[in-house]
Amino acid sequence: MATDTVFAVPVFLVVFRETLETVIIVSVLLAFLKQTLDGPNRDVKVYKTLVKQVWLGVGLGFFLCLVVAGGLIGAFYTLGKDAWESNEYNYEGAFALVASLIISVVGAALLRVGKMQEKWRVKLAKALESPVGIGGRRNGWFKRFAEKYAMFVLPFITVLREGIEAIVFVAGVSFSAPATSVPLPVVVGLAAGAIVGYLLYKGGSGAKLQYFLIASTCLLYLVGAGLFSRSIWYFENQQWNNVIGGDAAELGDGPGSYDIDKSVWHVNCCSPELNGGEGGWGIFNAILGWTNSATYGSVISYNIYWIAVMISFGVMRYREVKGHWPLLKAKQSSAASVDSGNKTGEVQAVPSKSEA
């Protein structure tokens, strides 16, 4: 077809899928900042600083993607092979695992903002104003760094992971398809993803805070669960690629494309890896972690993730109500202060009766 020389559909689907996963996270962060720091009791300085952090993370991640793309293309034409391809799933699995853990922490923090909105304003302002020293305990330095640049790290990791994954696929297609069929679908995919992200941002920033926090947290955890499951799937499929001596995705979605000994289910269609995930399966993979070839590891890890999330929220709720962590006793200092206060009240009450 003539359109194949101008618009490669698989390239568009991959770019749109990776852009969609990125803009979901970025739009949630920007809407969260606008809801909490740009309202009636606005803090303009902190708000602008954190927004700059988000866009700096996006920009730096995108720049590094371009650097990696140039290196991969240069290595391909210089060495005659794709240096990334042999361990592609290991890299993608590592990025997915880190992104999932970060999203999990951010999701828990977002949900608590509704009750502690003013406390968060003060906390963010102090974190930005305090220097990140290198002395003292290592954990203390890392904690201060994470608090000061929290809005930078998540967009940076997300853009870097999704961008590299898109670049690898687009590069693979461009080596076998006409060069004229690549630029247009890349631009259209980026534009379509940006439009979706803008709509999410406008809808989130204009919604009632508590409703927005609940909806955005649920969305983030769906993405995080999918990423955690996919990271295990990537690691397992890298082992299968090593066994067969090549990329299993090149075999299609039939026999030989998966390890039957580790398979829970497999359908010979609906693949998010083949042809960019045609039919929307790539989008389901990006948001929900869908795969047409599930393994024991990917299924078990998905369930473990949600069990861990439920336990974590239960523990946090217990601590919020009881004032201490489960299986641990309340702090002696607080208990002693309560007892002393009660005894003082009793002592003061006795003389009053005798005087009467």
Side-chain angles (χ1 to χ4, degrees):
M1 296 175 63
T3 55
D4 292 341
T5 62
V6 180
F7 194 92
V9 176
V11 172
F12 164 75
L13 291 173
V14 166
V15 173
F16 177 66
R17 179 187 72 185
E18 307 303 339
T19 305
L20 182 62
E21 188 167 348
T22 301
V23 299
I24 285 175
I25 294 172
V26 173
S27 61
V28 165
L29 291 179
L30 291 175
F32 157 68
L33 293 177
K34 190 167 185 64
Q35 284 267 17
T36 55
L37 298 176
D38 197 34
N41 301 321
R42 59 186 301 175
D43 192 331
V44 179
K45 182 179 178 182
V46 176
Y47 173 71
K48 289 183 177 180
T49 302
L50 291 176
V51 169
K52 286 180 181 178
Q53 279 192 23
V54 173
W55 288 117
L56 182 61
V58 172
L60 185 58
F62 187 74
F63 173 75
L64 289 181
C65 287
L66 296 179
V67 173
V68 171
L72 289 175
I73 295 173
F76 181 85
Y77 284 111
T78 303
L79 305 176
K81 63 179 182 179
D82 188 348
W84 169 276
E85 185 178 5
S86 59
N87 291 292
E88 175 185 353
Y89 282 161
N90 279 338
Y91 296 128
E92 292 185 7
F95 279 124
L97 184 59
V98 172
S100 174
L101 296 177
I102 295 176
I103 287 174
S104 303
V105 175
V106 171
L110 278 178
L111 200 58
R112 294 172 60 86
V113 169
K115 294 183 178 180
M116 302 184 299
Q117 190 170 352
E118 189 60 36
K119 182 179 179 181
W120 266 82
R121 287 196 186 97
V122 176
K123 186 176 182 179
L124 289 172
K126 288 182 178 180
L128 290 173
E129 293 171 359
S130 62
V132 180
I134 58 175
R137 296 182 302 174
R138 294 181 179 178
N139 293 340
W141 173 85
F142 181 78
K143 182 180 180 181
R144 288 194 297 273
F145 179 86
E147 290 177 350
K148 190 176 181 68
Y149 301 106
M151 293 299 164
F152 166 82
V153 175
L154 182 55
F156 172 72
I157 292 292
T158 303
V159 172
L160 187 63
R161 190 189 73 82
E162 302 299 336
I164 290 178
E165 186 174 346
I167 286 168
V168 170
F169 184 87
V170 172
V173 172
S174 64
F175 295 143
S176 58
T180 56
S181 67
V182 176
L184 183 59
V186 169
V187 174
V188 174
L190 289 172
I195 291 173
V196 173
Y198 178 77
L199 295 176
L200 289 173
Y201 165 72
K202 295 299 290 184
S205 59
K208 189 176 180 180
L209 179 61
Q210 191 61 29
Y211 295 151
F212 163 74
L213 292 175
I214 294 174
S216 60
T217 301
C218 292
L219 183 59
L220 284 177
Y221 275 113
L222 284 173
V223 175
L227 284 171
F228 189 76
S229 176
R230 283 160 58 191
S231 68
I232 306 300
W233 186 90
Y234 282 134
F235 292 139
E236 291 184 325
N237 276 267
Q238 181 63 55
Q239 295 178 353
W240 179 242
N241 286 345
N242 295 338
V243 171
I244 65 176
D247 187 359
E250 296 178 355
L251 301 175
D253 53 14
S257 63
Y258 62 99
D259 186 356
I260 188 64
D261 292 332
K262 296 181 180 179
S263 179
V264 176
W265 75 72
H266 180 87
V267 290
N268 294 336
C269 69
C270 316
S271 173
E273 301 291 323
L274 196 61
N275 294 326
E278 290 181 333
W281 300 111
I283 297 174
F284 281 120
N285 175 262
I287 300 177
L288 303 175
W290 157 259
T291 177
N292 68 311
S293 185
T295 63
Y296 288 111
S298 65
V299 173
I300 293 173
S301 61
Y302 190 84
N303 286 278
I304 287 177
Y305 179 89
W306 283 115
I307 293 172
V309 168
M310 289 186 288
I311 292 175
S312 299
F313 276 106
V315 169
M316 288 189 293
R317 177 62 179 170
Y318 182 92
R319 183 175 185 270
E320 185 177 312
V321 174
K322 301 293 185 179
H324 62 91
W325 297 108
L327 305 180
L328 296 178
K329 295 181 178 180
K331 292 183 179 180
Q332 295 295 330
S333 58
S334 60
S337 61
V338 173
D339 293 339
S340 62
N342 293 336
K343 291 179 180 179
T344 303
E346 293 175 358
V347 171
Q348 291 177 348
V350 171
S352 63
K353 291 181 181 179
S354 59
E355 290 173 1

